[in-house]
Amino acid sequence: MGNEKTRGFDNPFEVETPPGAEGWERLYPAYYRFGEDRRVIDEGKFWFFDGMHNPEPMYPFDTIMTETWWVALNQYTTRVWVVPPAPNGIDHRVLNGYLYISPSTTTDPKLIESRIAHFRERAGYYYENWDELYSNWVKKADDVIQRLIAIRFDNLPEMEPMGSITSGRGVMSSYDLVHNYSALLDNLHEIGNLHFEMLGLGYGAYLTLKDFCEEQFPGIGDDTIAKMVSGIDVLFFRPDDELRKLAQLAIDEQLTDVILREDITPNQILDELSNHPNGADWLTAFEGAKEPWFWFSTGPGYCHQHRAWIDDLTIPFQAMRNYIIMLQAGEDIRRPLEAIFVERDRLTTEYRALLPTDDDRSAFDDLMRLARTVYPFVENHNFYVEHWHNSVFWNKVRELGQVFVDRGILEDKEDIFYLHRYEVYSALYDMIAGWATALPTYGGNFWPGEVAERKRIMESLRKWSPPPALGVPPEAVNEPFTIMLWGITTDTVAKWLGASDQDGDSTRELHGFAASPGVAEGPARVIVAIDQLSEVQAGEILVCPITAPSWVPIFAKIKGAVSDAGGIMCHAAIVSREYGLPAVVGTGFATQRIKTGQIIRVDGGTGTVTILS
C-alpha cells in the first residue's frame, strides 16, 4: 500500500483495475470518478476508503446516498455553520467501485480566525435553542418519512381507467410514474439535508469539550472523556429493548418451545403462534414493536442489499432466542446502565475537582451540560434517517423496479439498482413512450444485457481489497466529521503508513482508537458480511469492518469489539461503552490481519489489539 519513495500511499491514478472488472467506469458518472481533468489536484490530496458507510462496491443506484451527503454534509460545514478549520469540506471519488473521501482542512490561523465569529453566531443560535429545534426536527423527519410511505408506483394500465376521464384531471398514469419518481428522489435529498442540520453541531459540542479537557488535563484519554457523556438513552437501543421485552413475554406466556425452534422460519413460527392458545398477546406485542422499530437496517443504511429487520426477521429472532436462553439461565439481560452512571459521575466529579479556579469549573460544567444535551442527536438522527427512512426508500425503489419488470424492461426488480438514478429517468421515459405508442421499447432489448454485464463487473470488484488510504498524507487532520465519525487523525495516518511497511503476517499488534476502556482476551470472530452474524458465539471478540446499530443484540454475548473503521463516535464505540465492553476501532487492518479462532487481546484503554496465538 505504501509508496516508499514519497512516504505516502498509492497514487489513485496508478491503481490497477481488478481482473475482470474492465469497464467499471460505466457504472458511475464522470463527476464521481478520478479523471485526468482533475489529476493535478487529486494526486496531491489524501483519500481514505469509506468502509464505514459503503463496505462493498457501490451499486450505481445506491450512489444517491453518498452523493446526497456529499452535498448535504459539506454545505453545512462550509456555508451554513462555517466550521472554522474546514473551508472546503469532504470531497468524493469512486475507484474500482469503492468510495474514497478526502477531508479538506486548513491550519491557516488567519483563515480559521476569520470564520470563528460566523460559527459562534450561527451554531450558538442552535445551541441556545436546542430543545425546541430538536423537537421540530423530529416532526420534520417524521413528515418526510410519512410522505415517502405515501409514494406509489403502480403498473401502467392496459387502458387508462375511466376515472382519469371523469375527474377531468388531465394527467395520466405515465405522468404519475415520472412525477412520483422525481418525488422519491426529492424526498431522499430532503432527508439528507435534515440528516446534517444538527449532526455537525453535536460533534462540535463534543470536540469543544474534548479540547478543553485535553488542555486542562494533559494525558487524559479519549475513552475517559467519552465515558463522562455516556449513559445515554438513544433510539437505536429501542429495537433491542423491544426484543428483550418480547423474550421475557415469551417466557411468561410459555411460548419458548415454539420461538426457540430453529428448524422452521420466523414466518412459520408466527403462523404457529397464531394457532397457539397463548399466542395472541405475544403476537399483538410483536406487531406493536415492528412499527417503526423493525425498520432497522442490518447495515449502515446506505446500501440496498442490507435489508431491514422488517424484511428479514432472521436477525431479530436470533437475538430473541439468545435473550430467552440467557433469561432461562438466570442471567440479567439489561444494559448495565447503573454502573455506567456511577462511573460517569465519578470521573466527572474527580476531574472537575482538579480544575484550579471557579471560572474553569464553570466552563467545564457548561461544556459538559451542552455535550450531554446535544449528544443524543448524534445517534437519534440515525434511526430516523439511515434506518427507518432509508429502509422504506429502498423498498419504494423495488416497487418501481417491479414496474420495469412488468413492462419487460428488466428481468428482476433488484436489477434497477444496477442503473444510476439518472439512467432510471432514461429507462422510464423509454418505457412510458413504449406504453403510449403501444410499440416495442429500446430498453427491453438493451437493459437486460447491460445489467448482466454490470453484474459480472460487480462480482470482479468484490474480489478487490481496497487499501485504507490513497494519495499524499496530510500535515494535520482537523475536520470534525473525519475525526469523530471515521476516526481519521494525524496519528491514524501515521500508523497506517507504518503498517504499510510491515508484512501483514509478521506483525501481531494493531493500533486504533481507544474507544471503550478495559482489557479482554478471547477467540476472535471475524465478520465481514451481515449473514455471518449468526456465527458469533458467546465469549468471543467481534472483529469486523464496522458495526451497524442493528447489531446491538450481539453485544450482549461478546467480550469485546474491534473494527477496521470508526472514531470515538462510531456505533461500535458508543455501544461498547454503553455495554461496558473493551473496544478498539479504526485499526484499518483488523479483518485482514486477524483470523477467526485466533486468541487476541483488546486493550480499550490504549487502543491496542494483540494477536496472542
Side-chain angles (χ1 to χ4, degrees), residues 157 159-176 435:
M159 183 182 300
E160 192 68 24
M162 191 65 186
S164 298
I165 299 167
T166 57
S167 66
R169 181 169 171 240
V171 293
M172 304 300 162
S173 301
S174 59
Y175 169 85
D176 289 337
W435 174 76

Side-chain angles (χ1 to χ4, degrees), residues 587-602:
T587 62
F589 307 90
T591 57
Q592 298 177 38
R593 298 276 173 85
I594 299 172
K595 307 299 181 186
T596 291
Q598 287 182 320
I599 305 301
I600 64 174
R601 178 191 299 123
V602 179

Side-chain angles (χ1 to χ4, degrees), residues 404-600:
F404 279 113
V405 172
D406 294 340
R407 302 301 303 179
I409 306 298
L410 297 175
E411 295 179 350
D412 188 288
K413 64 183 179 182
E414 298 290 321
D415 290 349
I416 192 173
F417 296 109
Y418 288 92
L419 280 62
H420 189 272
R421 66 183 183 278
Y422 295 142
E423 292 178 317
V424 171
Y425 268 121
S426 176
L428 193 55
Y429 266 88
D430 175 52
M431 181 176 69
I432 64 174
W435 174 76
T437 60
L439 293 173
T441 64
Y442 165 82
N445 293 320
F446 173 74
W447 284 115
E450 178 66 14
V451 167
E453 176 64 9
R454 294 184 181 192
K455 287 181 178 179
R456 185 191 64 78
I457 291 173
M458 288 283 287
E459 282 302 311
S460 297
L461 293 177
R462 289 189 184 94
K463 299 174 184 177
W464 187 61
S465 296
L470 300 167
V472 179
E475 292 183 8
V477 178
N478 55 2
E479 196 283 321
F481 279 95
T482 305
I483 296 170
M484 299 294 291
L485 186 58
W486 285 282
I488 310 299
T489 65
T490 308
D491 288 342
T492 303
V493 176
K495 290 171 182 175
W496 283 353
L497 282 169
S500 70
D501 294 333
Q502 299 173 349
D503 185 331
D505 294 325
S506 66
T507 179
R508 290 185 174 273
E509 193 167 274
L510 294 96
H511 300 275
F513 261 81
S516 182
V519 177
E521 292 185 7
R525 174 65 64 174
V526 181
I527 297 295
V528 296
I530 301 299
D531 57 8
Q532 294 177 305
L533 281 179
S534 60
E535 300 172 9
V536 178
Q537 303 298 311
E540 293 183 325
I541 295 175
L542 177 66
V543 180
C544 57
I546 193 67
T547 67
S550 59
W551 294 21
V552 167
I554 297 296
F555 284 75
K557 61 195 298 189
I558 61 176
K559 294 177 66 176
V562 179
S563 70
D564 291 341
I568 201 69
M569 286 300 177
C570 75
H571 300 120
I574 293 173
V575 176
S576 293
R577 289 194 294 270
E578 297 299 320
Y579 276 85
L581 296 175
V584 177
V585 301
T587 62
F589 307 90
T591 57
Q592 298 177 38
R593 298 276 173 85
I594 299 172
K595 307 299 181 186
T596 291
Q598 287 182 320
I599 305 301
I600 64 174

